[in-house]
């Protein structure tokens, strides 16, 4: 664990620069913006899971004074608004390709911003009302008469592939959009044939939703003079949203501007353009008036991209000594009503064997559609699901075949000498010390002292259980990032970076990078994001790419600043540029000491500089990073169950994540804490429920979707390791998703362990009090 | 439309509102005090918590007209000039916020908690008392630490 006393630069647990405005109520979230004369939008959404739209009559609605427009799929097509530009598979060169076994293309269907023929999930937009107030727009929506022909629906993931399932897209003939096999079937089956033991699991990693606390909102302004649309909205990144919005509206990208100030959480949920963002922009352009939309929470539940939802059958083959021989199985990823994003399926299946030395494996992977909200990556997309499967399989094997859970992991975990290691799917893990990290967390969680705690709990009538889980996380994402650094003569350093924070604290941690490299105090470094007229290139936050890529481009741009500065300092001091040094923020040349800002001033004032050194003192780094990173770690969770109530209390929770090199330990711990809560939330309480018959969304508010609250957790024992990453020039590994990735598996391992005397060998998530109570009392 | 008058952050304000206008709408839309946030529509998340006559209230669940003559404090009214309220400082010092959207409600609830429960708040009390405030970023760990530290600091303030 890093015990750091640094107060500045990389490694300092610096308090955050962004806090002051946020704790005083001066944050700038999307709904805080307003424009004179703005109109308000309300979306009429389908109450049906699957229905043909026969007729929409808005006559009465339009007759209400103050109602300016009602737009439907008909006008959408007439105006040439294009479908959402989804890329279903991750295209990073380090992620595996997902070709269909039969050579056919992955099925994709147009996702229109308003349903044009059929509504395919509850909440799909059917009409947009624009009026002078939200209340009036809502009143008007109630006067729109939509005639539906209700169709049979399918929502449950296992049901989607059945022969008699309702078909969401007739054009495809079935709900299966792809059928991929990865790994080696022949080798795997051969290994299974000689296995002494085979552990099996069939599980559904349930659907959840991301719930960033700021409901989505958008404000669009159309400038008739310039023909530009400016959209203020929170997203995973501003640059991609600009291009996607321009594409959908049929505009040149330079005619679209995105403004993004404070964004109230993301977790992947905000990672892609939404229908509403396009529609708000379209309405502003069409009506030539500013328009605004703000989601209510119940609307978020039926319009935010949802997440997880993976149905898995898997087997693990072991020899008589517990050595893992092979793994095989099938994953079905429920993409929802639209072919929007299959990458969680891909990013899961490619690391199905985790960081264990499993020589061969074979998995089938099928993305399917259903009459549910579209899904997309959410906090460590795809990986928590498969780590859950692997870690549960190990515990199942240990229990069934009489191995110690920890010894079984020790026996099969890859050793540092094995790295880099190519897993059976072709992913090449970089470096690390998986054993050391697991041992570290076992110690932190006092694994060896557990049985005494179990006995003590038993004496109090409680059931105590413990679990351990390892994980690995493929960090890829959009490979390109850019930083532009300007040293201003007035003593400030501006850093324009293409990746915006939604709570991760970039204004502080990115400033620490500039401080480290340029020796300028953090409070003189301005991190500039969130306006596409300023920020031209950048990939946004996802797949552990924020710090990983920002650090590279800020470092390279800083190096160029120093190189330029040395040449300017040499001219100023009439010295040989090769003799100029840069130390503690000063250039030392021929006995003179010139600050970075002296040099920046000279660059702007002197007229004898070569062209490339003229003001401002500026450098840009634009990098495409095609290597993946593989953050990993291990968690230990301890639960206590009240057998009378079935309630599960997290008694202890310990983590060790290898972050390579910690830029701001305080922020990293914060990321871990929040990640744990999201993982434990999925394990114990969260679930998006659809009625299996009608397809109705049953969890439409915080009244029926259980959110983790303060009293669901103890203080966490969060540690980290710093083994420099060999595929990153500064050794940094991503740290944002480690809290979540193993949390599902480790929590459920602990729950199942607590219930071991009741014949429980597995439980699907979430382990609600009802489910736990039934498991106990069925046997008792 | 009916008229309503109240004290907000020590200032007398009045406005014409619809009968259905919620206190939070009055604060955000009429007074442009946008520090008070709306995170749900079922009185669950606590992002909109303010103090009405010194008591923590979810302002999404109170009509503006019901606040006639009341004394309201919002997140904008806590600091005295550049001097932060001890609870505000504690949230920053203990990294009790990430995206910051739930933070104003958390801080207002925390102060209300101290007003009701005193300055020596144990972990269990803080966690139970925060039942009505949802945060998605922090896992609550540092919020609990911040509330405990802020509560203690308020004693000296």
């Amino acid at each position: 664990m890093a015990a750091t006393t640094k107060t500045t630069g990389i490694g300092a647990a610096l308090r955050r620069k962004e806090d002051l405005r946020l704790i005083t109520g001066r944050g700038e979230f999307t709904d805080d913006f307003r424009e004179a004369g703005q109109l308000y939008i309300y979306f009429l959404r389908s109450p049906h899971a699957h229905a043909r739209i026969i007729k929409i009559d808005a006559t009465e609605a339009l007759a209400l004074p103050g109602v300016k427009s009602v737009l439907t799929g008909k006008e959408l097509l007439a105006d040439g608004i294009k479908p959402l530009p989804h890329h279903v598979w991750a295209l990073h060169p380090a992620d595996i390709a997902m070709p269909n076994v039969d050579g056919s293309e992955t099925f994709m269907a147009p996702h229109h911003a308003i349903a044009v023929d059929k509504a395919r999930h509850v909440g799909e937009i059917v009409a947009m009302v624009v009026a002078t107030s939200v209340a009036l727009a809502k009143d008007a929506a109630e006067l729109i008469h939509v005639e539906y022909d209700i169709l049979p629906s399918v929502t449950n993931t296992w049901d989607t592939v059945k022969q008699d399932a309702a078909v969401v897209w007739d054009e495809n003939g079935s709900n299966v959009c792809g059928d991929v096999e990865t790994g080696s079937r022949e080798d795997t089956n051969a290994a299974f044939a000689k296995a002494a033991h085979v552990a099996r699991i069939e599980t559904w990693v349930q659907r959840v939703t991301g719930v960033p606390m700021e409901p989505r909102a958008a404000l669009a302004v159309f400038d008739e003079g310039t023909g530009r649309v400016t959209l203020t909205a929170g997203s995973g990144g501003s640059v991609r949203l600009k291009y996607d919005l321009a594409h959908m509206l049929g505009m040149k990208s330079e005619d679209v501007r995105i403004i993004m100030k404070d964004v109230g959480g993301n977790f992947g949920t905000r990672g892609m353009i939404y229908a509403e963002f396009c529609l708000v922009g379209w309405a502003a352009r069409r009506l030539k008036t500013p328009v605004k939309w703000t989601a209510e929470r119940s609307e978020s539940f039926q319009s935010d991209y949802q997440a997880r939802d993976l149905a898995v059958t898997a087997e693990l083959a072991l020899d008589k000594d517990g050595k893992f021989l092979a793994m095989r199985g099938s994953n079905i990823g429920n993409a929802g009503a639209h072919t929007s994003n299959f990458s969680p399926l891909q990013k899961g299946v490619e690391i199905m064997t985790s960081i264990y030395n499993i020589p061969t494996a074979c998995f089938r992977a099928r993305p399917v559609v259903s009459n549910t909200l579209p899904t997309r990556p959410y906090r460590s997309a795809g990986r928590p699901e498969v780590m859950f499967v692997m870690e549960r399989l190990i515990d199942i094997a240990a229990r069934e075949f009489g191995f110690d859970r920890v010894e079984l992991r020790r026996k099969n975990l890859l050793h540092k000498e094995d790295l880099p290691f190519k897993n059976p799917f072709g992913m090449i893990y970089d470096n690390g010390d998986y054993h050391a990290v697991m041992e570290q967390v076992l110690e932190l969680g006092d694994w060896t002292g557990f049985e005494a705690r179990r006995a003590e709990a038993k004496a109090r009538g409680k059931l105590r259980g413990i679990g351990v889980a390892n994980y690995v996380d493929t960090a890829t994402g959009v490979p390109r990032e850019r930083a532009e650094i300007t040293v201003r003569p007035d003593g400030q350093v501006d850093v324009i970076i293409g990746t915006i924070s939604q709570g991760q604290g970039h204004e502080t941690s990115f400033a620490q990078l500039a401080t480290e490299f340029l020796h300028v105090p953090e409070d003189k470094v301005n991190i500039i994001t969130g306006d596409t007229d300023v920020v031209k290139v950048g990939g946004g936050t996802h797949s552990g790419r924020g710090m990983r890529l920002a650090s590279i481009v800020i470092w390279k741009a800083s190096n160029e600043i120093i190189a330029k500065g040395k040449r300017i300092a040499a001219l100023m001091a009439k010295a040989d540029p090769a003799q100029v040094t840069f130390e503690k923020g000063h250039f030392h040349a021929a006995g003179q000491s010139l600050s970075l800002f002296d040099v920046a001033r000279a660059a702007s004032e002197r007229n004898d500089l070569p062209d490339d050194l003229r003001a401002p003192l500026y450098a840009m780094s634009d990098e495409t990073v095609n290597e993946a990173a593989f953050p990993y770690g291990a968690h230990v969770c301890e639960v206590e169950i009240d057998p009378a109530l079935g309630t599960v209390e997290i008694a202890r929770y310990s983590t060790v994540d290898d972050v390579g090199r910690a830029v701001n330990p305080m922020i990293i711990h914060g990321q871990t804490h929040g990640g744990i809560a999201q993982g434990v939330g999925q394990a114990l309480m969260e679930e998006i429920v659809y009625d299996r018959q009608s397809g109705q969304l049953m969890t439409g508010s915080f009244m029926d979707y259980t959110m983790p609250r303060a009293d669901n957790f103890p203080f966490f024992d969060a540690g980290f390791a710093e083994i420099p990453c060999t595929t990153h020039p500064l050794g940094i590994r991503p740290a944002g998703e480690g809290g979540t990735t193993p949390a599902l598996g480790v929590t459920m391992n602990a729950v199942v362990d607590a219930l071991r005397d009741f014949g429980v060998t597995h439980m699907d998530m979430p382990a609600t009090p009802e489910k736990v109570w039934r498991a106990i009392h069925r046997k008792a | 439309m009916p008229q309503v008058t109240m004290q907000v952050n020590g200032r007398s304000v009045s406005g014409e509102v619809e009968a259905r206008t919620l206190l939070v709408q009055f604060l955000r839309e009429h007074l442009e005090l946008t520090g008070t946030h709306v995170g749900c529509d079922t009185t669950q998340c606590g992002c909109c918590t303010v103090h009405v006559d010194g008591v923590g209230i979810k302002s999404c669940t109170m009509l503006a007209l019901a606040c006639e003559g009341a004394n309201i404090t919002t997140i904008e009214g806590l600091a005295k000039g550049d001097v932060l309220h001890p609870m505000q400082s504690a949230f920053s010092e203990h990294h009790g916020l990430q995206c910051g959207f739930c933070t104003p409600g958390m801080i207002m609830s925390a102060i209300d908690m101290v007003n009701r429960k005193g300055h020596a708040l144990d972990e269990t009390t803080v966690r139970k008392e925060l039942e009505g405030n949802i945060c998605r970023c922090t896992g609550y760990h540092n919020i609990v630490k911040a509330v405990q530290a802020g509560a203690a600091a308020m004693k000296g303030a």
Side-chain angles (χ1 to χ4, degrees):
Chain A
M1 208 175 312
T4 177
T5 50
K6 279 191 79 177
T7 55
T8 183
I10 291 179
L14 204 68
R15 298 302 177 259
R16 300 198 320 168
K17 297 172 69 174
E18 40 274 89
D19 287 355
L20 182 61
R21 66 174 182 274
L22 296 170
I23 58 177
T24 53
R26 289 185 280 119
E28 295 178 289
F29 296 92
T30 300
D31 188 59
D32 301 341
F33 290 84
R34 60 165 68 192
E35 286 287 332
Q38 69 188 20
L39 298 174
Y40 296 84
I41 285 178
Y42 181 76
F43 294 107
L44 180 65
R45 298 175 183 275
S46 171
H48 304 295
H50 198 190
R52 200 173 303 287
I53 299 164
I54 307 297
K55 192 177 153 198
I56 300 176
D57 181 358
T59 316
E60 284 181 60
L62 285 164
L64 274 186
V67 174
K68 302 297 182 185
S69 184
V70 175
L71 298 170
T72 68
K74 195 172 137 194
E75 290 79 23
L76 183 92
L77 293 184
D79 269 14
I81 304 300
K82 296 192 187 73
L84 280 84
H86 294 301
H87 303 287
V88 294
W89 299 117
L91 300 174
H92 192 287
D95 287 310
I96 63 169
M98 298 290 278
N100 282 340
V101 173
D102 66 2
S104 62
E105 292 292 312
T106 304
F107 173 73
M108 286 189 66
H111 179 187
H112 291 290
I114 302 181
V116 294
D117 54 346
K118 291 201 308 189
R120 291 180 172 84
H121 67 82
V122 168
E124 184 149 29
I125 297 170
V126 171
M128 168 168 64
V129 183
V130 190
T132 51
S133 77
V134 177
L136 183 61
K138 278 187 183 180
D139 291 345
E142 287 191 10
L143 297 175
I144 299 173
H145 301 287
V146 185
E147 194 183 324
Y148 291 105
D149 175 17
I150 299 169
L151 303 168
S153 63
V154 61
T155 56
N156 176 280
T157 309
W158 299 110
D159 290 349
T160 57
V161 296
K162 290 180 181 163
Q163 285 296 324
D164 59 349
V167 172
V168 181
W169 288 94
D170 297 329
E171 296 84 339
N172 191 37
S174 91
N175 295 316
V176 180
C177 301
D179 196 343
V180 179
E181 188 173 282
T182 180
S184 166
R185 183 199 292 231
E186 203 176 315
D187 293 351
T188 302
N189 288 346
F192 268 84
K194 10 174 244 207
H197 307 292
V198 175
R200 293 187 175 82
I201 190 172
E202 179 176 297
T203 189
W204 177 55
V205 180
Q206 87 277 24
R207 179 178 288 230
V208 296
T209 186
V211 195
M213 287 313 295
E214 181 203 7
R216 285 186 298 117
L219 171 63
V221 176
F222 177 67
D223 185 321
E224 280 190 77
T226 61
R228 296 185 89 204
V229 167
T230 299
L231 184 82
T232 303
S235 180
S238 56
V239 179
R240 180 166 178 200
L241 181 56
K242 176 181 84 166
Y243 285 104
D244 286 351
L245 181 61
H247 167 83
M248 289 183 76
L249 295 177
M251 297 171 71
K252 288 187 289 187
S253 61
E254 57 265 35
D255 288 340
V256 170
R257 179 182 187 186
I258 305 293
I259 307 271
M260 207 175 294
K261 298 292 186 188
D262 289 307
V263 184
N266 173 12
F267 321 115
T269 303
R270 291 191 207 268
M272 176 67 195
I273 190 169
Y274 275 93
E276 293 89 351
F277 291 174
C278 162
L279 296 175
V280 170
W282 176 42
R285 187 179 68 182
R286 196 179 153 106
L287 301 173
K288 299 181 172 52
T289 312
V291 293
K292 185 173 185 179
W293 165 75
T294 303
E296 296 180 7
R297 181 59 64 186
S298 53
E299 195 174 10
S300 305
F301 275 101
Q302 52 182 309
S303 66
D304 281 3
Y305 292 111
Q306 297 180 346
R308 311 277 192 244
D309 202 338
L310 185 78
V312 182
T313 53
E315 295 178 304
L316 176 67
L318 304 86
D319 73 11
K320 64 177 175 33
D321 300 320
K323 179 84 191 70
F324 298 163
L325 301 176
M327 195 177 176
R328 67 186 174 194
S330 157
N331 294 358
I332 305 171
N334 190 337
H338 293 283
T339 50
S340 51
N341 198 308
F342 304 155
S343 72
L345 178 71
Q346 173 188 21
K347 296 192 65 118
V349 79
E350 69 191 15
I351 53 167
M352 207 70 213
T353 50
S354 187
I355 46 181
Y356 298 99
N357 194 345
I358 302 181
T360 184
C362 179
F363 266 79
R364 184 182 189 189
R366 283 173 290 174
V368 298
V369 285
S370 66
N371 296 112
T372 60
L373 270 92
T375 55
R376 64 162 282 108
Y378 161 64
R379 201 79 185 251
S380 189
R383 288 88 96 185
E385 295 92 312
V386 300
M387 294 300 127
F388 167 79
V389 170
M390 185 76 233
E391 297 296 325
R392 286 271 51 245
L393 264 177
I394 296 173
D395 272 24
I396 288 168
R399 171 95 164 263
E400 199 173 332
F401 312 124
F403 298 107
D404 177 81
R405 287 180 286 166
V406 173
E407 286 305 322
L408 200 51
R409 286 177 170 85
R410 284 187 184 127
K411 186 184 281 280
N412 290 285
L413 209 51
L414 286 161
H415 290 273
K416 62 183 176 189
E417 303 77 34
D418 300 329
L419 301 173
F421 176 83
K422 188 175 191 176
N423 83 6
F425 309 101
M427 303 301 287
I428 301 168
Y429 303 151
D430 45 11
N431 73 314
D433 192 339
Y434 305 152
H435 283 266
V437 163
M438 184 177 77
E439 298 303 329
Q440 199 179 326
V441 81
L442 290 171
E443 195 178 325
L444 191 62
D446 187 27
W447 186 273
T448 52
F450 172 72
E451 287 306 329
R453 294 193 293 279
R454 192 197 306 262
E456 186 274 331
K458 195 173 180 184
R460 287 185 283 111
K462 300 288 173 64
L463 307 169
R464 197 150 171 135
I466 194 167
V468 60
N470 293 295
Y471 76 92
V472 67
D473 197 342
T474 313
T476 51
V478 173
R480 186 177 174 201
E481 188 63 34
R482 177 189 285 183
E484 296 176 74
I485 300 182
T486 305
V487 181
R488 290 166 22 190
D490 64 359
Q492 301 280 316
V493 174
D494 290 343
V495 180
I496 297 171
I497 182 91
T499 287
I500 188 170
S501 168
Q502 300 92 19
Q504 301 91 333
H506 296 170
E507 283 169 64
T508 307
S509 59
F510 289 1
Q512 287 178 255
L513 298 170
T515 296
E516 180 76 20
F517 307 133
L518 295 174
H519 315 160
V520 172
E522 280 89 355
D523 62 3
K524 305 289 185 198
V525 180
N526 308 304
I527 302 296
I528 298 167
T529 64
D531 178 349
T532 57
D533 276 4
V534 178
V535 180
K536 304 294 185 191
V537 172
T541 52
H542 59 268
S543 204
R545 71 177 296 289
M547 177 56 74
R548 179 167 53 98
L549 301 193
S551 59
I552 295 174
V553 291
I554 291 174
W555 175 59
K556 291 197 169 180
S558 297
N559 288 343
E560 193 185 326
I561 290 279
I562 294 167
K564 279 185 172 177
K566 283 181 177 174
R567 291 171 57 206
I568 297 167
L571 283 165
M572 292 169 74
K574 299 188 172 50
D576 174 3
Q579 301 300 316
V580 180
T581 59
F582 181 70
E583 281 167 42
K584 294 182 178 167
H586 285 71
F587 295 95
H588 300 278
Q592 288 192 41
S593 174
L594 301 159
S595 81
L596 191 61
F597 302 107
D598 293 336
V599 168
R601 194 171 307 109
S604 65
E605 287 173 357
R606 290 175 75 112
N607 54 14
D608 59 347
L609 295 173
D611 281 356
D612 68 323
L613 295 182
R614 295 224 173 129
L617 179 51
Y618 164 92
M620 179 181 83
S621 169
D622 189 330
E623 291 286 320
T624 298
V625 179
N626 284 329
E627 281 184 297
F630 293 89
Y632 66 93
H635 291 195
V636 168
C637 174
E638 210 166 309
V639 301
E640 203 165 290
I641 291 172
D642 184 336
L645 299 171
T647 47
V648 180
E649 179 197 333
I650 305 289
R652 285 177 77 142
Y653 198 108
S654 311
T655 71
V656 178
D657 304 298
D658 185 357
V659 301
R661 187 178 181 190
V663 175
N664 184 322
M666 178 191 80
I667 288 176
I668 288 173
H669 286 315
Q671 287 288 309
T672 303
H673 299 156
I676 295 168
Q678 286 181 323
V680 171
Q682 171 142 24
L684 298 185
M685 62 197 89
E686 296 181 43
E687 182 175 7
I688 285 287
V689 179
Y690 291 92
D691 181 80
R692 208 160 171 173
Q693 294 303 312
S694 67
Q696 189 55 244
L697 175 67
M698 307 301 284
T699 43
S701 78
F702 286 149
M703 302 290 277
D704 28 48
Y705 184 88
T706 314
M707 285 291 286
R709 308 212 181 211
D711 57 359
N712 294 122
F713 303 103
F715 286 127
F716 307 114
D717 296 316
F720 55 71
E722 289 185 281
I723 299 169
C725 175
T726 49
T727 53
H728 189 283
L730 302 164
I732 293 168
R733 290 180 210 273
E737 297 179 333
T740 304
T741 312
L744 284 56
V746 78
T747 306
M748 291 311 295
N749 279 351
V751 169
V752 172
D753 181 54
L755 298 174
R756 63 181 188 171
D757 293 340
F758 298 89
V760 177
T761 54
H762 176 70
M763 182 178 282
D764 269 4
M765 298 178 290
T768 58
E770 180 193 344
K771 210 185 276 180
V772 172
W773 188 91
R774 284 180 189 279
I776 294 168
H777 293 269
R778 182 191 55 202
K779 283 275 175 184
Chain B
M1 276 195 288
Q3 179 100 3
V4 65
T5 301
M6 61 185 90
Q7 289 274 323
V8 177
N9 299 331
R11 186 167 61 98
S12 180
V13 295
S14 55
E16 284 191 347
V17 295
E18 287 186 72
R20 61 182 168 186
T21 300
L22 301 167
L23 175 58
V24 69
Q25 292 171 324
F26 183 70
L27 294 171
R28 288 183 57 82
E29 290 160 27
H30 293 245
L31 305 182
E32 299 192 25
L33 292 171
T34 53
T36 302
H37 297 152
V38 179
C40 77
D41 43 14
T42 51
T43 321
Q44 298 277 309
C45 78
C47 292
C48 65
T49 305
V50 299
H51 294 174
V52 177
D53 293 329
V55 176
I57 292 286
K58 291 183 177 178
S59 62
C60 72
T61 311
M62 191 164 189
L63 293 168
L65 285 177
C67 297
E68 176 66 34
N71 196 342
I72 314 285
T73 305
T74 71
I75 189 73
E76 291 93 341
L78 286 183
K80 302 274 181 279
D82 287 342
V83 182
L84 295 174
H85 186 283
M87 193 59 81
Q88 290 174 310
S89 303
F91 267 71
S92 181
E93 182 58 30
H94 293 272
H95 189 31
L97 64 152
Q98 290 182 26
C99 82
F101 191 80
C102 75
T103 309
M106 285 283 178
I107 291 173
M108 299 310 286
S109 286
I111 295 168
D112 179 64
M113 192 191 308
V114 177
N115 290 343
R116 289 181 294 107
K117 299 272 174 181
H119 298 274
L121 296 171
D122 63 35
E123 182 195 345
T124 306
T125 302
V126 175
R127 289 187 183 277
K128 285 197 184 308
E129 287 288 327
L130 283 180
E131 215 274 341
N133 290 77
I134 299 176
C135 167
R136 190 54 148 172
C137 295
T138 65
Y140 303 98
H141 181 109
N142 286 334
I143 290 178
V144 177
K145 300 240 176 205
V147 173
Q148 288 183 299
M154 279 171 69
K155 193 170 187 178

